Amino acid sequence: MSSVTPKLTLNDGNQIPQVGFGVYLSPPGEATLASVSEALRIGYRHIDTASMYGNEADVGKAVKSSGIPREAVFITTKLWNADQGFDTTLKAFDQSFKNLNVDYVDLYLLHWPVEGKRINSWKALSQIKRSGRVRSIGVSNFMVHHLEEIINATGVVPAVNQIELSPYLYSSDVINFCKKNNIIVEAYSPLTRSKKLVDLKLKSIADKYAKTTAQILIRWSLQHGFVPLPKSNTPSRIKENFGVFDFEINEQDMNTLDSFNENFRTCWDPTSVS
Ligand code: NDP
């Protein structure tokens, strides 16, 4: 299996491995420690956690005990909604930093565009970045109006926007805005939480490439220049989801996949947050 994940360059010059390993709903303790360790063994070099997931400490431990040099692994965590606001953000980051027990965090995200608080929280992230404890800062679940608001208020463009994204939820307005503003788009729930993996039209494309439907969804994200973040606690699937570097989906099949959009959302919906 290929162990070299391609990297993308963020708008601040830092690099991000293009496949991340998600750990939402990965139980804190042994389970997360084991699955992150397995992911690192397989070749993943990017882990996506959040303070809300309750497993930052296990992610930090798995990275440390892997023996892989710290600079070879990209670690993301996120600010939880209840902690938004300038001072509370600084305090929440201190806690995440302590939980992860690393010298620096690669990417710190606002988890959600909390109305009335997101601008001050975003200013706090800039301050944390200046302290050197975080290399890059970004947002998650931000739609175009949320992005415009924080950029206009601070002049600081997020390095990434992490949104729910798959062929079944392919939101061109926010993606186009991100492309235009040099914001890398990360795809969360890229496997539709497995709900669409049995879709026959997806299955027929997968069969053509002798790949699984999960692999097709991840590869679709990669070929669009997104950063997919598949999650699994199952060793065979952790391996399967990384087997995406030895084939290419042709243009016609990419177009077919693009046409699957049906605004199918598995997670929370930020579109109505004003
Ligand atoms: P995914 O789309 O990654 O799906 C995960 C589910 O699919 C799990 O139930 C997993 O089961 C199953 N699965 C994984 N691989 C396969 C496979 N090859 N075949 C069949 N089933 C499979 O959903 P998530 O919502 O977890 O999203 C991924 C990551 O994105 C999260 O872990 C988190 O890091 C991030 N995220 C961010 C959000 C945000 O608001 N910023 C919101 C949601 C997610 P099992 O584990 O049992 O193998």
Side-chain angles (χ1 to χ4, degrees), residues 22 54 59 91 98 125 129 141 153 169 182 190 194 208 227 230 232 248 268:
V59 168
K91 209 168 139 209
K98 213 164 131 188
L125 258 59
K129 183 172 190 257
N141 293 297
L169 176 65
N182 201 11
S194 74
K208 198 165 144 182
V227 176
S232 178
E248 193 169 347
W268 46 354

Side-chain angles (χ1 to χ4, degrees), residues 39-143:
L40 291 168
R41 195 187 66 78
I42 293 288
Y44 292 78
R45 290 294 179 267
H46 169 177
I47 315 294
D48 183 83
T49 184
S51 77
M52 192 269 261
Y53 304 168
N55 52 24
E56 287 169 314
D58 308 305
V59 168
K61 260 188 226 160
V63 170
K64 206 156 257 176
S65 63
S66 70
I68 299 166
R70 170 67 189 89
E71 60 277 12
V73 184
F74 190 99
I75 302 175
T76 300
T77 193
K78 314 184 190 85
L79 174 77
W80 184 234
N81 303 349
D83 296 318
Q84 287 218 11
F86 191 85
D87 292 335
T88 43
T89 295
L90 299 180
K91 209 168 139 209
F93 178 74
D94 287 345
Q95 186 59 51
S96 284
F97 196 59
K98 213 164 131 188
N99 293 344
L100 283 162
N101 192 21
V102 288
D103 292 336
Y104 66 92
V105 173
D106 292 278
L107 179 62
Y108 195 41
L109 304 179
L110 300 188
H111 209 143
W112 184 259
V114 177
E115 199 182 339
K117 293 200 171 166
R118 56 187 175 243
I119 294 177
N120 280 338
S121 308
W122 184 236
K123 287 179 180 165
L125 258 59
S126 292
Q127 178 161 315
I128 297 166
K129 183 172 190 257
R130 284 193 294 273
S131 79
R133 291 177 300 162
V134 163
R135 298 260 161 107
S136 299
I137 55 174
V139 296
S140 177
N141 293 297
F142 273 50
M143 299 294 103

Side-chain angles (χ1 to χ4, degrees), residues 22-24 48 53 78 111 140-141 162 188-194 197 214 229-234 237 240-241 267-268:
V23 294
Y24 178 45
D48 183 83
Y53 304 168
K78 314 184 190 85
H111 209 143
S140 177
N141 293 297
Q162 181 180 125
Y188 78 66
S189 308
L191 306 175
T192 66
R193 293 208 177 147
S194 74
L197 296 181
L229 307 168
K231 174 263 174 188
S232 178
N233 282 115
T234 314
R237 291 171 173 173
E240 173 187 331
N241 297 343
C267 203
W268 46 354

Side-chain angles (χ1 to χ4, degrees), residues 245-264:
F245 302 112
D246 57 355
F247 75 110
E248 193 169 347
I249 302 172
N250 71 30
E251 200 182 329
Q252 193 190 343
D253 291 330
M254 282 298 284
N255 290 337
T256 304
L257 287 160
D258 290 353
S259 76
F260 289 1
N261 182 34
E262 51 183 69
N263 290 322
F264 178 80

